[in-house]
Amino acid sequence: MKIGIIVYSQRGNTEKVAQKLKEKLTTAGHKVTVESIVTEGKINPGVKNIKFKVIPKTDPYEGIVFASPVMAFSLCPVMKEYLNQITTLKNKKVAFLAAKKLPFIWTGGSQAIAWMNKACKNKEANILGSGVMIWSSKNLEQKKAELIESIAALF
């Protein structure tokens, strides 16, 4: 399957998880591309009028993983705006990955996943599943590996 991992990452952590997921999916026989959403300037919670330098296309992919950090207990505004601009995800298999620092999934992770889920369902995506990476987790490397494994298994 041709899979696109579309990621927004401010500090590079979410991007690193996306690259590891790419390796796992490629080993499983998929053709995988990681594409970054790139903005002009620094993004803060609640920002309006986001200007994009790079807006990845979803058309080339049969499967897509949207990966984004959580900001201020919600999905990062960059990913919100990016998903709002997509016209359709009909016949696309879609999964989500949210990354956050604060412990507990309810401190923004659940909200971010719910937001992506609703936005993509409204665009007729076939939602496969999701995962949340919590950077402050004990056994971080093990948790990261488990998350990558669970997302990869969806495809």
Side-chain angles (χ1 to χ4, degrees), residues 41-149:
K42 186 172 170 32
I43 301 300
N44 295 310
V47 70
K48 305 281 188 230
N49 302 319
I50 296 168
K51 293 189 177 15
F52 293 99
K53 285 184 182 178
V54 178
I55 304 174
K57 302 283 187 214
T58 58
D59 301 351
Y61 307 111
E62 300 163 86
I64 303 169
V65 178
F66 293 109
S68 175
V70 169
M71 282 185 155
F73 304 100
S74 185
L75 181 63
C76 174
V78 172
M79 186 58 77
K80 284 182 179 180
E81 184 61 28
Y82 172 78
L83 290 173
N84 280 334
Q85 291 184 13
I86 295 172
T87 55
T88 185
L89 291 167
K90 191 171 186 170
N91 300 320
K92 305 281 185 193
K93 295 178 179 179
V94 174
F96 313 112
L97 188 154
K100 56 191 288 324
K101 180 161 175 111
L102 292 176
F104 313 114
I105 194 168
W106 52 266
T107 58
S110 299
Q111 296 88 328
I113 295 296
W115 203 101
M116 288 189 278
N117 192 35
K118 183 178 179 185
C120 292
K121 270 188 180 173
N122 288 341
K123 296 170 190 316
E124 302 181 83
N126 176 10
I127 309 298
L128 302 179
S130 61
V132 177
M133 180 74 248
I134 300 174
W135 297 113
S136 59
S137 295
K138 292 181 181 174
N139 304 316
L140 179 60
E141 291 307 312
Q142 178 185 343
K143 296 288 187 191
K144 204 183 310 182
E146 289 170 0
L147 175 66
I148 290 165
E149 185 70 38

Side-chain angles (χ1 to χ4, degrees), residues 3 5 13-28 30 32 65 67 95-99 129-135 140-155:
I3 299 172
I5 302 173
N13 294 324
T14 308
E15 173 81 27
K16 288 176 188 171
V17 174
Q19 292 296 338
K20 291 285 187 186
L21 179 58
K22 175 186 177 180
E23 290 172 20
K24 183 74 174 171
L25 288 165
T26 301
T27 300
H30 300 288
V32 185
V65 178
F96 313 112
L97 188 154
S130 61
V132 177
M133 180 74 248
I134 300 174
W135 297 113
L140 179 60
E141 291 307 312
Q142 178 185 343
K143 296 288 187 191
K144 204 183 310 182
E146 289 170 0
L147 175 66
I148 290 165
E149 185 70 38
S150 69
I151 297 288
L154 296 171
F155 294 93

